[in-house]
Amino acid sequence: MLRALAALPFAVGWFDEIWQYLEPAWHLVAGPWIQTWDYRAGLRSWLIPELLAVPMGIGHALSPDGTLHLMLVRFTLAALSLVIVGAAVSLGLRLSRLHGIVAGFVAATWFELIFFAPRALSEPIGLALLMGAIWLLLARDRPGPRQFALAGLLMGLCFVARIQYAPALLTLAILTARKDWRGAWLPLLAGGCGALAIDALANLAMGAVPFRWMIEAARINIVEGRAQAYGVMPLTGYFTILAWYWYLALVPILPLAWIGAKRYPALLWIALVHLACHSLIAHKEYRFVLASSALLVILAAIGSADLLRRVPRERLVLATIAALTVWGGASVVLARGHFAPNWTMEADLAEALDKAGRPARTCGLALYRPRDTVAGAYALYRRATPIYVLGSAPEAARHTRAFDVIVAPQDHLGELPAAYQLESCAVPGITDAPGCVLRRAGSCAPDPDTPTLQAWLKASGN
């Protein structure tokens, strides 16, 4: 229920959610799309967009003029994230009912897991698949060949969703399969090959060479260092970020996770390997280590249940309620603390593009003075019309017949032609996204001299 509620307010969260997954999925559903540099370079697999196109297509068919296509995607991803909760419950129940209750409650209510649950990003999708494999291999005493084969399939899909999970996946495989080649490694590898075959077919369906995206991703991001253009942090960057978001909660979480690791040392190793490998990469973003933070929180929940087991039986119920209250309260406080801006990030841009495309008669959209990063998406706009980019007031006046609606920053509204009347301005977010919608009456005449957003992106290298 919490994950479904988290899907309701539409905020982008990260640009990649739109440009890497929702926009190409919209292309499969409706046609026109904004193709960013990574798809032009061929370093993205088509598997996730193809899967997301199913709920998106259903939503668009049911409500062509609304945002149901986006909401169904979010509900689908929120449902997938319940695998994380199920895995936590199962890991806990293997120890005791109390462990299952505490671990499940924390996994279901922790603010980061709620926030990322409905996001069309490779990190939470990969985390759900990883936790599914953990569920199969660690939540039972002796997993058999079938469990290893299914886990291998999930781990392979996790690798396809985000190849940066490879060290964590290898750690899980080594610690669970050990030296059992026939009953563990062979089924595991067979399942993984099945996942790679699925990815190959998904890319062949789009006319892409299978596995080329993996090679290009490694070459462009590692060899050429393209990712560093988006910012770099020191080796200790993720510890700084964790301390910023978890604040004082970091003090009890780490020792509790250490206690929980005595029950499941493999989970701690997976979290640490994942964190260490990402720390070696100069470009750092908090979502990159979501798997590590999630595993640490689940271990901390198991550790807190261990401490509760020491409470006298007659006080155990009250102590458990108190512990769950503390966990839930900490989640709420941290969600409203330093993490708070993430809940509405880019919501102004999403709202403006949605309103720009609402009228069925809309015949052209112009983005006025957009920022350097991508500022328009057909998945949000929903109309199969040109999207133009304007950089100055004279340019807007010269090409006014090409578009009937403009999305612009509030500070520059006075520069636009008088024929365009202000419809609304979204509440400004934490970024500089343009959030005001202006519209004029009349039709549009295509103007080849007006720069399109796609051409502008190519020229700027985005």
Side-chain angles (χ1 to χ4, degrees), residues 144-234:
R146 291 184 180 179
Q147 285 73 36
F148 273 102
L150 182 54
L153 177 65
L154 294 177
M155 292 166 70
L157 292 174
C158 176
F159 173 78
V160 168
R162 186 161 183 81
I163 58 177
Q164 292 89 337
Y165 275 60
L169 295 169
L170 180 60
T171 303
L172 174 61
I174 292 173
L175 294 177
T176 54
R178 301 181 183 273
K179 297 181 180 180
D180 187 358
W181 290 98
R182 182 182 297 273
W185 279 106
L186 288 180
L188 201 64
L189 292 172
C193 289
L196 294 178
I198 292 173
D199 179 68
L201 292 174
N203 285 279
L204 278 173
M206 295 301 300
V209 177
F211 312 127
R212 175 177 174 264
W213 67 270
M214 299 182 186
I215 299 172
E216 291 301 308
R219 181 182 67 83
I220 294 175
N221 285 323
I222 298 177
V223 178
E224 296 184 2
R226 172 70 186 247
Q228 296 185 24
Y230 299 99
V232 297
M233 295 184 70

Side-chain angles (χ1 to χ4, degrees), residues 76-324:
T76 300
L77 294 172
L80 176 64
S81 75
L82 294 177
V83 173
I84 302 171
V85 180
V89 171
S90 187
L91 289 168
L93 289 177
R94 184 170 176 263
L95 304 174
S96 75
R97 183 179 298 179
L98 176 62
H99 284 83
I101 292 172
V102 177
F105 177 84
V106 172
T109 60
W110 191 247
F111 71 102
E112 293 157 304
L113 297 178
I114 292 175
F115 174 82
F116 282 106
R119 308 289 166 182
L121 293 166
S122 60
E123 292 83 5
I125 293 174
L127 174 60
L129 295 167
L130 172 63
M131 291 302 297
I134 288 173
W135 190 346
L136 289 166
L137 300 181
L138 292 178
R140 58 180 65 211
D141 293 330
R142 293 183 180 179
R146 291 184 180 179
Q147 285 73 36
F148 273 102
L150 182 54
L153 177 65
L154 294 177
M155 292 166 70
L157 292 174
C158 176
F159 173 78
V160 168
R162 186 161 183 81
I163 58 177
Q164 292 89 337
Y165 275 60
L169 295 169
L170 180 60
T171 303
L172 174 61
I174 292 173
L175 294 177
T176 54
R178 301 181 183 273
K179 297 181 180 180
D180 187 358
W181 290 98
R182 182 182 297 273
W185 279 106
L186 288 180
L188 201 64
L189 292 172
C193 289
L196 294 178
I198 292 173
D199 179 68
L201 292 174
N203 285 279
L204 278 173
M206 295 301 300
V209 177
F211 312 127
R212 175 177 174 264
W213 67 270
M214 299 182 186
I215 299 172
E216 291 301 308
R219 181 182 67 83
I220 294 175
N221 285 323
I222 298 177
V223 178
E224 296 184 2
R226 172 70 186 247
Q228 296 185 24
Y230 299 99
V232 297
M233 295 184 70
L235 189 67
T236 58
Y238 284 120
F239 298 99
T240 302
I241 297 175
L242 275 175
W244 173 255
Y245 283 139
W246 285 4
Y247 198 48
L248 295 179
L250 187 67
V251 177
I253 286 177
L254 292 183
L256 285 173
W258 180 257
I259 295 173
K262 295 179 181 179
R263 299 284 196 167
Y264 289 107
L267 295 184
L268 181 61
W269 278 111
I270 295 168
L272 293 179
V273 167
H274 188 71
L275 181 61
C277 290
H278 278 76
S279 295
L280 296 175
I281 301 173
H283 176 60
K284 295 177 174 62
E285 294 185 35
Y286 182 52
R287 60 191 172 96
F288 293 170
V289 293
L290 175 63
S292 294
S293 59
L295 289 174
L296 288 175
V297 167
I298 291 172
L299 283 173
I302 293 173
S304 61
D306 272 351
L307 295 183
L308 285 172
R309 291 292 296 270
R310 302 179 184 179
V311 175
R313 182 178 296 273
E314 62 272 13
R315 299 179 184 175
L316 182 58
V317 173
L318 289 178
T320 301
I321 294 174
L324 296 181

Side-chain angles (χ1 to χ4, degrees), residues 285-374:
E285 294 185 35
Y286 182 52
R287 60 191 172 96
F288 293 170
V289 293
L290 175 63
S292 294
S293 59
L295 289 174
L296 288 175
V297 167
I298 291 172
L299 283 173
I302 293 173
S304 61
D306 272 351
L307 295 183
L308 285 172
R309 291 292 296 270
R310 302 179 184 179
V311 175
R313 182 178 296 273
E314 62 272 13
R315 299 179 184 175
L316 182 58
V317 173
L318 289 178
T320 301
I321 294 174
L324 296 181
T325 302
V326 171
W327 271 109
S331 180
V332 171
V333 170
L334 295 178
R336 300 181 64 179
H338 294 155
F339 195 82
N342 291 295
W343 297 98
T344 56
M345 185 183 293
E346 301 299 324
D348 46 356
L349 171 63
E351 180 182 338
L353 291 174
D354 171 48
K355 289 185 177 179
R358 281 279 175 177
R361 67 180 184 278
T362 301
C363 54
L365 168 65
L367 305 174
Y368 185 68
R369 290 185 179 272
R371 57 194 174 192
D372 292 336
T373 52
V374 184

